[in-house]
């Protein structure tokens, strides 16, 4: 291997690695020289290398000290060269750490882990979703993709921010889309509904093209685009406008002593909906029997789905059938 090849490899290494290699070479060089110049004071090469590191770092334990004229000259040269290298190395590590945090806040650092959750689109709803997810399981890695943000302070929001357009493959690959566990696409409420839905559908197509298995939860604002979102590959479609309209309706006509909005908010923050295939032992039994059966499993039975028809809070003597899908609520685990 000639010098040019070595130079080519050396200068392709990261700066911090090159600095570390240079420091080791310089310290070993001075350690060998001092060993041969003053063998009585430095019995082995390792003793010389140890002295070189201690002196270069300006620690100066004093366990090894050059006594001869030439030994002291070597010590001076070591302080001038090795000390500068070590100082520069430490400074570079500090600046690299600060720069990495700045790049992370600007959304320029690719995500390398797996089994993470990706949120696409930043707004107040996403902010609350990040908090709820972190409170539920602090170990979940969250990646945020957004093109409107230029800066997201990592210390304030413990998410890995990717700045870019989520409908572009390069941005999705930065978020390690192939290894993601779930994708949530929030609608852009700053745009008109149709335009916002088109962006959501385009993003869904891009995500599905990069990961054919990942569950995609997409927020759609207009009913006319629900089918298109499903065709694009969305696993679950959230119709936020429909949900908010129902909440407003209940607030408009509710009795003064009740608070439907707060009740639903608290309920959904501590419980989740589950759909359960009817157990064989409940086939032909009354709905009330199912309520008792699932209460022992800490489930609240709400109703059922039969032939795509929803039956919520049916009569107590309502008979359950084999193909029914039960709807229940369960506390978060």
């Amino acid at each position: 291997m000639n010098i040019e090849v070595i130079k080519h490899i050396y200068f392709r290494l990261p700066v911090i690695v090159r600095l570390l290699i240079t420091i080791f070479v310089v310290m070993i060089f001075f350690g060998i020289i001092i060993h041969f110049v003053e063998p009585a004071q430095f019995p082995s090469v390792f003793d010389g290398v140890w002295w070189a590191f201690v002196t270069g770092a300006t620690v100066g334990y004093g366990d090894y000290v050059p006594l001869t004229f030439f030994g002291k000259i070597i010590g001076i040269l070591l302080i001038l060269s090795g000390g500068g290298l070590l100082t520069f190395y430490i400074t570079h590590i500090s600046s690299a750490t600060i720069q990495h945090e700045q790049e992370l806040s600007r959304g320029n650092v690719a995500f390398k882990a797996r089994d993470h959750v990706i949120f696409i689109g930043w707004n107040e709803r996403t902010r609350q979703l990040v908090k709820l997810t972190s409170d539920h399981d602090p170990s979940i890695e969250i990646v945020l993709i957004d093109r409107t943000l230029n800066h997201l302070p990592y210390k304030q929001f413990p998410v890995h921010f990717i700045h870019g357009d989520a409908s572009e493959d390069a941005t999705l690959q930065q978020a390690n889309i192939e290894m993601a566990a779930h994708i949530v696409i929030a609608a852009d409420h700053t745009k008109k509904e149709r335009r916002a839905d088109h962006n959501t559908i385009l993003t869904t197509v891009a995500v599905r093209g990069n990961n054919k298995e990942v569950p995609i939860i997409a927020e759609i604002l207009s009913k006319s685009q629900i089918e298109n979102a499903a065709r694009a590959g969305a696993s679950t479609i959230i119709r936020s406008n429909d949900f908010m309209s129902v909440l407003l309706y209940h607030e408009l006509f509710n009795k003064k002593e009740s608070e439907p909005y707060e009740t639903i908010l608290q309920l959904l923050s501590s419980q989740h909906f589950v759909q359960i295939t009817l157990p064989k032992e409940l086939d032909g039994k009354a709905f009330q029997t199912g309520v008792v059966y699932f209460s022992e499993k800490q489930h609240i039975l709400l109703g059922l789905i039969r032939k795509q028809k929803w039956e919520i809070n049916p009569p107590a003597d309502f008979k359950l059938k084999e193909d029914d899908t039960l709807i229940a609520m369960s506390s978060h685990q």
Side-chain angles (χ1 to χ4, degrees):
M1 184 179 292
N2 57 38
I3 295 177
E4 289 300 323
V5 173
I6 295 174
K7 285 171 58 180
H8 180 72
I9 295 173
Y10 176 78
F11 285 105
R12 286 175 64 90
L13 294 172
V15 175
I16 196 166
V17 176
R18 277 186 279 157
L19 274 172
L20 197 58
I21 291 173
T22 303
I23 289 170
F24 270 98
V25 170
V26 170
M27 295 305 165
I28 290 171
F29 173 75
F30 276 101
I32 293 172
I33 290 179
I34 199 67
H35 165 66
F36 285 107
V37 170
E38 295 194 22
Q41 285 294 107
F42 303 91
S44 68
V45 172
F46 179 79
D47 292 331
V49 173
W50 166 254
W51 167 80
F53 271 101
V54 170
T55 304
T58 66
V59 175
Y61 287 122
D63 48 353
Y64 294 99
V65 180
L67 299 178
T68 66
F69 173 77
F70 288 108
K72 292 177 181 178
I73 293 296
I74 293 170
I76 293 172
L77 294 175
L78 172 62
I79 292 171
L80 293 175
S81 58
L85 276 173
L86 284 169
T87 303
F88 185 69
Y89 175 72
I90 295 170
T91 305
H92 184 80
I93 289 177
S94 302
S95 62
T97 302
I98 295 171
Q99 184 178 2
H100 180 77
E101 184 175 336
Q102 291 175 344
E103 292 296 312
L104 197 63
S105 297
R106 294 190 190 106
N108 297 328
V109 179
F111 185 77
K112 301 296 184 182
R114 57 186 302 157
D115 297 328
H116 52 294
V117 178
I118 299 178
F119 295 150
I120 298 175
W122 180 251
N123 50 39
E124 184 59 31
R125 185 173 302 158
T126 315
R127 187 196 302 264
Q128 293 294 330
L129 184 57
V130 167
K131 183 179 184 304
L132 288 171
T133 305
S134 299
D135 291 345
H136 173 67
D137 187 352
S139 66
I140 293 178
E141 295 276 4
I142 299 174
V143 176
L144 170 70
I145 301 176
D146 189 87
R147 62 181 173 181
T148 61
L149 283 176
N150 292 319
H151 184 266
L152 186 69
Y154 183 75
K155 291 182 178 179
Q156 297 180 25
F157 304 97
V159 301
H160 190 107
F161 172 47
I162 301 292
H163 179 264
D165 189 343
S167 64
E168 297 178 356
D169 288 350
T171 302
L172 294 174
Q173 287 163 8
Q174 267 197 307
N176 200 13
I177 187 71
E178 294 180 359
M179 298 298 175
H182 292 86
I183 311 292
V184 178
I185 305 174
D188 187 349
H189 292 267
T190 63
K191 293 181 170 58
K192 292 183 178 180
E193 290 184 357
R194 191 174 184 85
R195 178 67 181 277
D197 286 345
H198 285 175
N199 288 344
T200 299
I201 292 168
L202 182 60
T203 301
T204 303
V205 171
V207 170
R208 185 57 72 206
N210 284 273
N211 190 329
K212 299 187 182 302
E213 304 297 332
V214 66
I216 302 174
I217 303 170
E219 180 186 7
I220 292 294
L221 302 179
S222 54
K223 285 186 177 181
S224 61
Q225 298 301 317
I226 292 173
E227 290 296 328
N228 289 332
R231 293 191 193 102
S235 310
T236 303
I237 298 171
I238 303 298
R239 305 191 303 273
S240 56
N241 281 348
D242 292 352
F243 182 69
M244 290 305 300
S245 296
V246 172
L247 279 181
L248 291 171
Y249 167 79
H250 279 279
E251 288 290 347
L252 182 63
F253 294 104
N254 75 315
K255 298 178 180 179
K256 290 184 178 180
E257 61 269 17
S258 65
E259 297 182 343
Y261 175 78
E262 291 298 330
T263 302
I264 293 174
L265 186 63
Q266 294 301 321
L267 184 66
L268 294 179
S269 64
S270 60
Q271 306 280 322
H272 63 233
F273 289 104
V274 292
Q275 293 186 4
I276 307 168
T277 302
L278 183 73
K280 292 182 180 180
E281 54 266 39
L282 292 180
D283 186 15
K285 300 294 179 64
F287 181 77
Q288 183 63 35
T289 305
V291 171
V292 176
Y293 175 87
F294 281 102
S295 66
E296 296 173 356
K297 301 178 182 296
Q298 293 187 321
H299 288 355
I300 302 173
L301 191 59
L302 303 176
L304 58 105
I305 305 172
R306 178 179 293 175
K307 295 181 180 180
Q308 298 184 343
K309 183 180 178 181
W310 292 63
E311 297 283 352
I312 303 298
N313 192 25
D317 58 353
F318 186 91
K319 298 298 182 183
L320 301 174
K321 293 184 179 180
E322 181 180 358
D323 295 330
D324 290 343
T325 299
L326 302 180
I327 305 164
M329 294 205 74
S330 175
S331 60
H332 291 308
Q333 299 297 324

